[in-house]
Amino acid sequence: MAIADIAKPKTQVSALPTLNAGASYYAGSKSLCPRHYQILMDRGWRRSGTILYLPDAARSCCPHYTIRLPAADFKPSKDQRQSLNRWNRYVLGEKYIKEANTKYPKSKAEKKQENEFNLLSTVHEPETTTVKPDIPPEHIFTVTLEPDDFTEEKFALFDNYQRHVHHEGDDDISKAGFKRFLCSSPLHRHNSNGSKPLGSWHHCYRLDGRLIAMSVLDLLPHAVSGVYFLYHSDVEKWSFGKLSALREAALALERGYEFYYMGYYIQGCRKMRYKGDYRPQYVLDLHGFTWDPLDDELRRLMESRSYASMSKEKERVASLEGKSDGGSEPPSKSTKTDGAEVAASSDDPAGLAGEDIKHPVPLEASSSGLSLLELGMPGLTPLPELHRQVDLDTMKVYLGQRVGVHEMKDIVSWHSGGEKESGSIKGAIAEYASAVGPEIAKEVACDFSR
């Protein structure tokens, strides 16, 4: 496409309703390796359909924090255990439970293990593959991992959920919207080593053959990432939000994904704080990409700072201590500025080894006109570090099927702008490389074909 067209935003990107809490950096992709998305998530990114986004945590009224739960360390609370046991009793029925206890009495060791609560055995207890074959349960309950393809059955569940939970009407609910949002993910779906599913999947819950709930999951090399969860209004009283979280944590544990990602944690939003009840959670620090426990200390920091970073807080404390010891004046606290927002093409080219991320382009870096690199947006790799790992001149760009893939230096206008000029090609690519990180920048081609 022509260079002049780069600044034209795509409305479906800039108008995403879930991203209106503050500025975000956007990119689009219809072909993405799960390993690459794992890298992006560990830099603070998430996806909505084919749109990838990194919120500007420092310039948001309610910062979004990436959190993850080590599955092996997860200890369900009493309330969470009770919700799971209550559902299991409903599925199995009192008659089944009594008969099973009579026919298959538990040993002392089994009773002790039962009292200690085992997440894996408990979540699978009411499933058809686990129940005693000679004792019929009250209900037939199955949970299956299925491709994230569209079906009328899934859409009917989505329709019911959106109407009863989000109070949407006919004008808000469509098959096209459901497909765009929760089906046909850009992630490549396949099995790693023949047994570990990767890509985007639907975790389907069926009671007596009827689909009653569904999780949309991204399965990555080291993570089960929850994208969305929906349930039928008929089962609302059974706390399916808790049941799904427990099952997804169990999936991460038994399939060896290691971590369970529940999406963003927002301390200032009551509806999002529940994620902190699944412990122990760790919060991504976007300065250095380290993980800190979500404990009382970090929560207090979230309450007292516009954006909480443990590494930055330690630097601030060290600076204050240096000042009190006669050291130099600590840096003053930066003032908040408007964030940046970029949009991207959503077309998917062919012939790039199945992998492409669309080139994100600047709409308005900020009211100051500064590049994101100058603003210091959390989650970006500073230019000096980026230069040590990435040669921007040799980054790959896709220019359409007729032109193919080239290096950035082959573009005529490549050398006409600077890396901190967000309106230039070089400036836009520098922002992109800084946002996605060195590894993605070197391995993934940008798309200029639209």
Side-chain angles (χ1 to χ4, degrees):
M1 75 183 214
I3 297 300
D5 292 334
I6 291 178
K8 295 181 180 179
K10 298 290 184 180
T11 55
Q12 68 267 28
V13 174
S14 58
L16 274 175
T18 55
L19 305 179
N20 58 9
S24 295
Y25 188 91
Y26 299 92
S29 177
K30 287 191 175 181
S31 180
L32 188 63
C33 171
R35 182 180 71 84
H36 285 149
Y37 185 49
Q38 175 82 68
I39 294 170
L40 289 172
M41 277 212 321
D42 289 340
R43 294 181 61 90
W45 290 74
R46 295 288 291 180
R47 77 170 184 91
S48 178
T50 60
I51 300 301
L52 305 166
Y53 59 100
L54 174 66
D56 187 349
R59 297 165 185 84
S60 171
C61 61
C62 47
H64 293 47
Y65 298 96
T66 296
I67 58 172
R68 71 182 187 186
L69 173 72
D73 298 332
F74 176 44
K75 303 296 181 186
S77 66
K78 181 179 179 181
D79 179 59
Q80 293 160 2
R81 297 196 304 269
Q82 287 176 339
S83 295
L84 186 55
N85 288 327
R86 189 163 65 97
W87 171 252
N88 289 356
R89 287 195 298 271
Y90 169 73
V91 173
L92 296 173
E94 294 299 327
K95 182 178 178 181
Y96 172 92
I97 294 172
K98 289 180 181 179
E99 192 169 344
N101 288 337
T102 301
K103 278 191 172 184
Y104 303 93
K106 293 183 174 65
S107 64
K108 290 183 178 181
E110 289 174 326
K111 288 181 179 179
K112 182 180 178 181
Q113 185 179 21
E114 188 178 63
N115 291 333
E116 293 176 350
F117 185 82
N118 183 288
L119 177 62
L120 296 185
S121 62
T122 307
V123 297
H124 294 308
E125 183 182 3
E127 297 174 12
T128 55
T129 54
T130 307
V131 297
K132 307 301 181 185
D134 56 340
I135 308 175
E138 187 74 20
H139 301 280
I140 303 299
F141 181 56
T142 61
V143 181
T144 55
L145 200 59
E146 304 175 9
D148 67 335
D149 299 329
F150 172 88
T151 68
E152 293 291 343
E153 179 189 39
K154 294 174 184 177
F155 176 70
L157 177 65
F158 174 77
D159 182 280
N160 174 272
Y161 180 79
Q162 297 300 115
R163 292 180 190 277
H164 287 85
V165 175
H166 294 292
H167 309 293
E168 293 184 347
D170 292 342
D171 293 339
D172 306 306
I173 302 170
S174 67
K175 292 181 180 180
F178 173 61
K179 291 176 183 178
R180 183 173 60 249
F181 181 35
L182 299 175
C183 304
S184 305
S185 156
L187 297 182
H188 306 166
R189 191 172 56 242
H190 62 282
N191 286 338
S192 175
N193 300 323
S195 60
K196 188 177 181 181
L198 295 178
S200 297
W201 301 77
H202 289 161
H203 212 203
C204 298
Y205 302 62
R206 291 183 174 85
L207 188 69
D208 299 326
R210 175 191 174 204
L211 185 65
I212 58 169
M214 183 178 79
S215 291
V216 180
L217 302 177
D218 288 339
L219 303 182
L220 310 175
H222 304 294
V224 170
S225 175
V227 177
Y228 202 68
F229 179 71
L230 48 156
Y231 56 84
H232 198 278
S233 56
D234 290 350
V235 298
E236 185 174 8
K237 69 177 182 179
W238 296 107
S239 303
F240 260 78
K242 293 177 183 176
L243 299 183
S244 66
L246 293 171
R247 283 191 166 272
E248 287 156 27
L251 179 65
L253 180 61
E254 66 185 343
R255 296 290 189 98
Y257 293 102
E258 190 175 1
F259 297 105
Y260 173 36
Y261 288 60
M262 298 182 72
Y264 289 124
Y265 175 83
I266 304 176
Q267 176 67 21
C269 178
R270 182 181 57 82
K271 291 184 177 181
M272 299 293 280
R273 283 201 300 268
Y274 78 92
K275 298 177 183 181
D277 296 335
Y278 297 83
R279 301 174 180 173
Q281 292 282 5
Y282 288 82
V283 178
L284 176 65
D285 189 323
L286 292 173
H287 302 278
F289 306 107
T290 55
W291 297 86
D292 299 300
L294 181 58
D295 53 17
D296 291 341
E297 180 185 7
L298 185 51
R299 284 190 175 93
R300 284 193 296 269
L301 194 63
M302 290 176 177
E303 295 287 353
S304 62
R305 298 280 186 269
S306 59
Y307 164 65
S309 165
M310 290 300 291
S311 63
K312 288 296 181 182
E313 190 68 12
K314 290 174 182 177
E315 289 178 9
R316 188 185 73 86
V317 171
S319 296
L320 291 173
E321 291 175 348
K323 181 183 177 183
S324 65
D325 293 337
S328 60
E329 181 78 15
S332 60
K333 187 177 181 180
S334 61
T335 57
K336 293 180 70 175
T337 61
D338 291 335
E341 192 169 75
V342 297
S345 163
S346 59
D347 262 5
D348 179 39
L352 290 178
E355 180 83 24
D356 76 284
I357 287 186
K358 311 306 174 195
H359 171 56
V361 295
L363 298 178
E364 183 182 7
S366 73
S367 58
S368 66
L370 295 175
S371 162
L372 295 184
L373 297 166
E374 294 176 293
L375 287 172
M377 175 177 163
L380 268 64
T381 301
L383 268 179
E385 176 63 24
L386 190 65
H387 287 153
R388 282 194 288 270
Q389 300 189 54
V390 181
D391 181 359
L392 297 183
D393 287 352
T394 61
M395 283 179 59
K396 300 295 187 294
V397 55
Y398 178 77
L399 300 172
Q401 291 186 356
R402 293 182 64 183
V403 182
V405 179
H406 290 267
E407 294 183 342
M408 290 296 173
K409 62 185 179 183
D410 296 334
I411 300 176
V412 173
S413 60
W414 174 247
H415 297 289
S416 63
E419 293 172 342
K420 292 186 179 180
E421 295 178 31
S422 59
S424 70
I425 292 291
K426 183 172 287 187
I429 290 299
E431 285 185 337
Y432 161 77
S434 179
V436 300
E439 193 165 0
I440 299 293
K442 289 187 290 187
E443 296 180 10
V444 177
C446 297
D447 178 17
F448 279 4
S449 62
R450 274 285 179 90

